[in-house]
Amino acid sequence: GENVEQHPSTLSVQEGDSAVIKCTYSDSASNYFPWYKQELGKRPQLIIDIRSNVGEKKDQRIAVTLNKTAKHFSLHITETQPEDSAVYFCAATSSGNTPLVFGKGTRLSVIA
Amino acid sequence: SAVISQKPSRDICQRGTSLTIQCQVDSQVTMMFWYRQQPGQSLTLIATANQGSEATYESGFVIDKFPISRPNLTFSTLTVSNMSPEDSSIYLCSVQGAAYEQYFGPGTRLTVT
């Protein structure tokens, strides 16, 4: 089955700097890769996703890149703000009939 | 995205009792999932609940302990049976959208004493 590794487990950045979180996956059949943000006491929220037919996707200050050959994908947050502080989870799946497999999460702290 | 609600939002239960968690969605969905999240941990899939068929459980989770119902395309329940303190956790339901994306309910915070 699919296995998703996520690094780093914790990340601290100064406000205004960029943050990068990386994930690797094991199943070459995986074709959908979402990222979730979970604030303390809240549910995970889908913030961006990418499918295997594209290499990069951007939405304002966040972007995701995918390297299918290397089986890794990354979340990039630019111009970080204190409200970006949260736990971020990556995930992967290979089809609509299989649930997402999640990474262990990255706790991002943005220091003002 | 779908609007998902869960009841109860939190509960404190005694060891040996059972709790049923309800998940309601505002639109019909084929795939629903139940997850457990321990404090500071990632999301662990308990089971996949499809309407009209038995739930599919992940390794380490069994139907006797976590019976699931899925009577229609907008509703599901998860029961945590014969609870022990180790069952203290947040339980989340999740639904799959039309393009594989998953959305989560607000969660049920369970404390077993």
Side-chain angles (χ1 to χ4, degrees):
Chain A
E2 177 65 276
N3 182 51
V4 177
E5 299 283 340
Q6 182 171 348
H7 299 280
S9 56
T10 60
L11 179 61
S12 291
V13 299
Q14 293 288 332
E15 182 178 0
D17 287 351
S18 295
V20 181
I21 303 170
K22 298 181 179 181
C23 288
T24 60
Y25 60 98
S26 60
D27 187 352
S28 56
S30 288
N31 56 15
Y32 176 64
F33 309 92
W35 286 88
Y36 289 82
K37 175 183 180 183
Q38 187 174 32
E39 297 174 273
L40 190 62
K42 302 286 184 62
R43 75 186 83 185
Q45 294 275 11
L46 177 65
I47 57 172
I48 196 168
D49 56 16
I50 192 167
R51 300 176 195 275
S52 59
N53 57 344
V54 298
E56 184 175 4
K57 183 177 179 180
K58 288 184 179 180
D59 183 3
Q60 299 182 338
R61 295 186 298 108
I62 61 173
V64 58
T65 58
L66 172 65
N67 183 326
K68 287 191 298 181
T69 302
K71 289 192 280 190
H72 67 71
F73 56 112
S74 301
L75 178 71
H76 305 253
I77 305 174
T78 59
E79 301 172 20
T80 53
Q81 301 167 3
E83 50 266 38
D84 295 327
S85 296
V87 178
Y88 291 81
F89 293 99
C90 63
T93 187
S94 60
S95 80
N97 293 325
T98 56
L100 295 171
V101 176
F102 285 87
K104 292 189 182 299
T106 296
R107 181 173 301 277
L108 173 65
S109 298
V110 180
I111 304 164
Chain B
S1 63
V3 175
I4 308 167
S5 60
Q6 279 185 240
K7 283 194 241 184
S9 58
R10 58 179 62 226
D11 207 342
I12 301 173
C13 301
Q14 290 197 344
R15 182 195 301 258
T17 63
S18 298
L19 176 71
T20 295
I21 303 168
Q22 299 179 7
C23 179
Q24 180 77 52
V25 190
D26 70 340
S27 58
Q28 294 185 338
V29 294
T30 302
M31 304 286 283
M32 292 182 77
F33 309 97
W34 286 98
Y35 288 85
R36 183 170 73 183
Q37 188 175 33
Q38 306 277 15
Q41 302 294 315
S42 187
L43 298 137
T44 301
L45 181 66
I46 297 172
T48 300
N50 293 330
Q51 194 267 337
S53 63
E54 294 289 327
T56 303
Y57 290 83
E58 297 299 302
S59 176
F61 298 97
V62 294
I63 188 171
D64 289 346
K65 175 68 174 176
F66 298 101
I68 287 171
S69 78
R70 182 81 199 274
N72 56 52
L73 292 174
T74 63
F75 187 78
S76 179
T77 66
L78 169 75
T79 298
V80 186
S81 304
N82 188 24
M83 289 184 284
S84 66
E86 293 71 37
D87 295 319
S88 297
S89 189
I90 297 173
Y91 292 83
L92 300 114
C93 68
S94 174
V95 304
Q96 188 181 65
Y100 299 1
E101 72 278 18
Q102 279 185 228
Y103 303 100
F104 286 86
T108 296
R109 183 180 296 273
L110 171 62
T111 302
V112 183
T113 60

